[in-house]
Amino acid sequence: MEGKLIVISGFSGAGKGTVIRRMMQEHEGYALSVSMTTRKPREGEIDGVDYHYVSNETFEDLVRRDGLLEHAGFVDNYYGTPRAFVEENRRAGRDVLLEIEVQGAMQIREQFPETVLVFVTPPTAEELRNRLFGRKTESEEKAMKRLRRAAAEVHSIGEYPYLIINDDVEACAESLHSVISGSWTPEAPDGDHRGGEIITDQAQKEAFAAAFSAGLEKIL
Ligand code: 5GP
């Protein structure tokens, strides 16, 4: 059976990467897509593991040859999902995870309406600020740019059927797996997800987004 396609979005600094890695340590059958980017590697990042780091020319060439399933500009760079990896892994029955931002997520939804779309967020805007400025791998200016980007992205939370609050990495990883595997549904939640609360109710998602947006406005 063909593997599922799963999109995981969230503010830069939300801890998505850590949550995904944790889930993959605990559960088999997943493949994580490694994106192409024109951004420079951060300290500690490895080419081919965190991203495929390429020049603008290479990126544009790949777009022309239809080698990317989706692509988008984010802050000052381009990011995109290599098509071949996704297709091969799905064919092999693995569930493929795409850790991508909102514009790319909408492109994927358009092409593959059955995609599971999840938005991961820290509990509050203050927590996001602390995580971004605590990362120390980037300048304050870049951290501010990412917060401003979050202020724009917060309005897209309603587009995602599942919102997961990342209060605790382990709990959040379990929530993510429950949602993907279908063991958790709004009608039949599979027990306690404290630390990784799952929100599917539209009004509740919008209330969360409004509070988060107000928090970001205070910071920016
Ligand atoms: P970062 O520079 O912090 O690694 O990533 C910046 C943003 O780009 C994050 O929101 C990340 O999810 C998103 N991103 C990473 N790879 C891709 C991709 O292939 N396509 C799209 N659309 N977004 C991506």
Side-chain angles (χ1 to χ4, degrees):
M1 209 169 79
E2 192 176 55
K4 295 178 193 158
L5 194 54
I6 298 113
V7 162
I8 298 149
S9 298
F11 311 119
S12 180
K16 304 172 295 253
T18 315
V19 169
I20 292 169
R21 276 196 301 276
R22 181 53 171 254
M23 181 179 75
M24 292 178 72
Q25 276 165 8
E26 299 293 327
H27 303 279
E28 287 179 0
Y30 289 116
L32 175 61
S33 162
V34 178
S35 295
M36 295 269 166
T37 183
T38 59
R39 119 160 133 60
K40 298 279 165 287
R42 292 194 192 107
E43 210 178 303
E45 286 184 343
I46 301 165
D47 190 17
V49 175
D50 297 287
Y51 282 103
H52 301 288
Y53 302 93
V54 296
S55 65
N56 274 310
E57 293 69 41
T58 305
F59 194 94
E60 283 161 12
D61 186 48
L62 217 61
V63 171
R64 267 195 302 272
R65 289 191 286 117
D66 204 27
L68 300 177
L69 215 48
E70 60 72 36
H71 67 279
F74 184 90
V75 185
D76 298 323
N77 291 292
Y78 290 115
Y79 296 81
T81 304
R83 180 185 295 280
F85 177 90
V86 174
E87 291 178 349
E88 281 159 23
N89 277 280
R90 288 189 74 191
R91 240 181 276 129
R94 282 182 281 272
D95 291 342
V96 178
L97 307 165
L98 309 183
E99 184 199 331
I100 63 178
E101 53 66 69
V102 175
Q103 303 167 66
M106 298 300 107
Q107 293 173 41
I108 294 291
R109 183 178 68 180
E110 189 76 25
Q111 298 174 67
F112 308 97
E114 74 289 3
T115 304
V116 181
L117 295 158
V118 184
F119 198 96
V120 174
T121 172
T124 62
E126 291 70 31
E127 180 65 25
L128 177 65
R129 179 199 54 199
N130 295 343
R131 289 186 198 177
L132 270 174
F133 282 91
R135 181 143 87 177
K136 295 265 182 273
T137 50
E138 286 182 306
S139 66
E140 273 195 19
E141 189 201 326
K142 281 196 182 154
M144 285 308 285
K145 267 194 179 174
R146 282 164 188 270
L147 275 179
R148 282 195 290 274
R149 179 71 187 220
E153 286 186 340
V154 75
H155 304 294
S156 301
I157 283 181
E159 301 289 337
Y160 290 76
Y162 301 98
L163 173 65
I164 301 182
I165 318 289
N166 178 16
D167 225 345
D168 174 87
V169 172
E170 213 172 311
C172 193
E174 283 313 305
S175 292
L176 188 57
H177 177 69
S178 297
V179 160
I180 298 169
S181 63
S183 69
W184 188 101
T185 64
E187 298 75 33
D190 65 345
D192 183 9
H193 283 273
R194 233 173 303 168
E197 192 191 348
I198 305 165
I199 302 178
T200 52
D201 178 75
Q202 201 61 17
Q204 247 181 299
K205 276 189 275 171
E206 273 155 25
F208 179 90
F212 204 96
S213 176
L216 280 171
E217 259 170 47
K218 264 193 238 152
I219 297 167
L220 289 167

